[in-house]
Amino acid sequence: MANYEKEINRRRTFAIISHPDAGKTTLTEKFLLYGGAINLAGSVKGKATARHAVSDWMEIEKERGISVTSSVLQFEYDGFCINILDTPGHQDFSEDTYRTLMAADSAVMVIDASKGVEAQTRKLFKVCVMRKIPIFTFINKLDRDANDTFELLDEIEKELGIATCPVNWPIGSGKRFQGVYDRDRQCIITYSDTEKGTKEGEIAEISTADTKALEAAIGEEAAGILKDEVELLDGASAEFDLEKVQAGELTPVFFGSALTNFGVEFFLRHFLTMTTTPLPRRADAGLISPTDNDFSAFVFKIQANMNKAHRDRIAFMRICSGKYEASMEVKHVQGGKVMRLSQPQQIMASERKILEEAYAGDIIGVFDPGIFAIGDTLCMPKEQFCYEGIPTFAPEHFARVRQLDTMKRKQFVKGITQIAQEGAIQIFQEFNTGMEEIIVGVVGVLQFDVLKYRLENEYNVEIRLEPLPYEHIRWIENKDVNLDKLVGTSDMKKIRDLKGNPLLLFINAWSVGMTLDRNEGLILSEFGRD
Ligand code: G4P
């Protein structure tokens, strides 16, 4: 057990989130560079082509040159074993992006200093807040002209509703970017545009108490501005409080430029001391401690047909406690079966590697012969508990599915149900009819194409999708509600999910409020529960 503990306690598992183009890939690449996982930065970016070799399960990925699925990277740095969960960076992200956050202990949010908080960050952020995931902010691209620093912080606080605590502070931006001020050590670290792809850069550290040296380094004017800003900052910003950070109430903020490597290692070093070891997880039997319990894991993602030749599915699971050893027997609680996990592997950039052992905090992918569902628990054969389910996230786009050849009804129902089970889409029925009218809901519109493509290619069924105008879906929390008596608005639609739970669709947010007003005691939720 003691051996587990050491391995588990050096693990740090986090998701990296951003709006497309903020610099998530570049930052990840630089992390790997510092960790020595790659010699030259660029390999991650290069995976744009290499990655397809692994996940060429769908032509759409290739055609559009984007990754529909998310991957996991593991690397070592300074004695830590770090797992980064990548989230699809394209605007058309899916529910998987949200689910990935369920498998992480913290999140790193990358923000473009000239753009501020953008749409995708906002959405992912909501999920972090719901789960109280600690959030670390890296404000990137300081080598380009940036927005006013105070305004950026203000925006994060207002838009995301979380207090900020800058760990360092930028000195200028764009052509006038001169480095950062380290608040803790009260010194400046001068900027050097290190050659792209190398980690060596000439940086100097100068104490701000040494006015002469400071002015000599950054100029009198910049030194004066810095002094004023630091005074203002010390008076106005929230004090650093690790407990608040770990409760997801305060985000430490770092400034840097991933492209030129500036501020990346500073971030990594501080982040690793502030983020948590793998956290205990709630199960029906109470909290399961990562170090005091034997192996357990839960499935957070299922990916179909990564290898076209085999039509296989891979179930990604987060190990929550103990140690996994190859060929060990585990129990799939929901299926009620004891089994050996088949070829557990880690997906490292574009390669897969078969694992001999893995620990709490790690993510493994196993071949799934079609038995796992999202949220399923695996544990030791002698144990019996289930981890809390993963919520269903609200789709934002809806379409009615029309099957073109009604003779293929069986394949159609089988196909669409299987695809829904993998979690890429959600399917609903009209409130009063059966499977003849199917409504499909997705988080990102790309999933509509994925559905159409897969039904045609894997199930030989052609469909037509008719977009519906709804944008808001709400689960009904009240157990005893009579849907027939519910008074809605004229644009409201009553539907059911596959488990028979009633839901409501609305065209606009106003109607949601109106319906709540008209039905006393009605409780609507943006997240569905298992
Ligand atoms: P993403 O994963 O969040 O979508 O962003 P990615 O890292 O791919 O970065 C998007 C673009 O921003 C890239 O340029 C990248 O080089 C650039 N970038 C990232 N970090 C910085 C930074 O600190 N400073 C500056 N100036 N640029 C940065 P691109 O032209 O789209 O791609 P590429 O041709 O350079 O690879």
Side-chain angles (χ1 to χ4, degrees), residues 313-345:
R313 304 208 305 191
I314 288 193
F316 287 85
M317 46 191 83
R318 146 104 193 202
I319 303 181
C320 301
S321 64
K323 177 184 182 183
Y324 173 77
E325 279 172 81
S327 79
M328 175 167 112
E329 281 199 326
V330 300
K331 176 152 79 183
H332 172 219
V333 179
Q334 277 76 1
K337 280 209 176 103
V338 172
M339 58 188 292
R340 280 180 217 283
L341 296 178
S342 161
Q343 296 190 31
Q345 46 190 298

Side-chain angles (χ1 to χ4, degrees), residues 18 20-26 45 140-141 143-144 257-259:
S18 77
D21 276 347
K24 184 165 59 83
T25 313
T26 313
K45 195 82 195 180
N140 192 27
K141 303 197 187 181
D143 59 304
R144 295 247 182 96
S257 156
L259 187 69

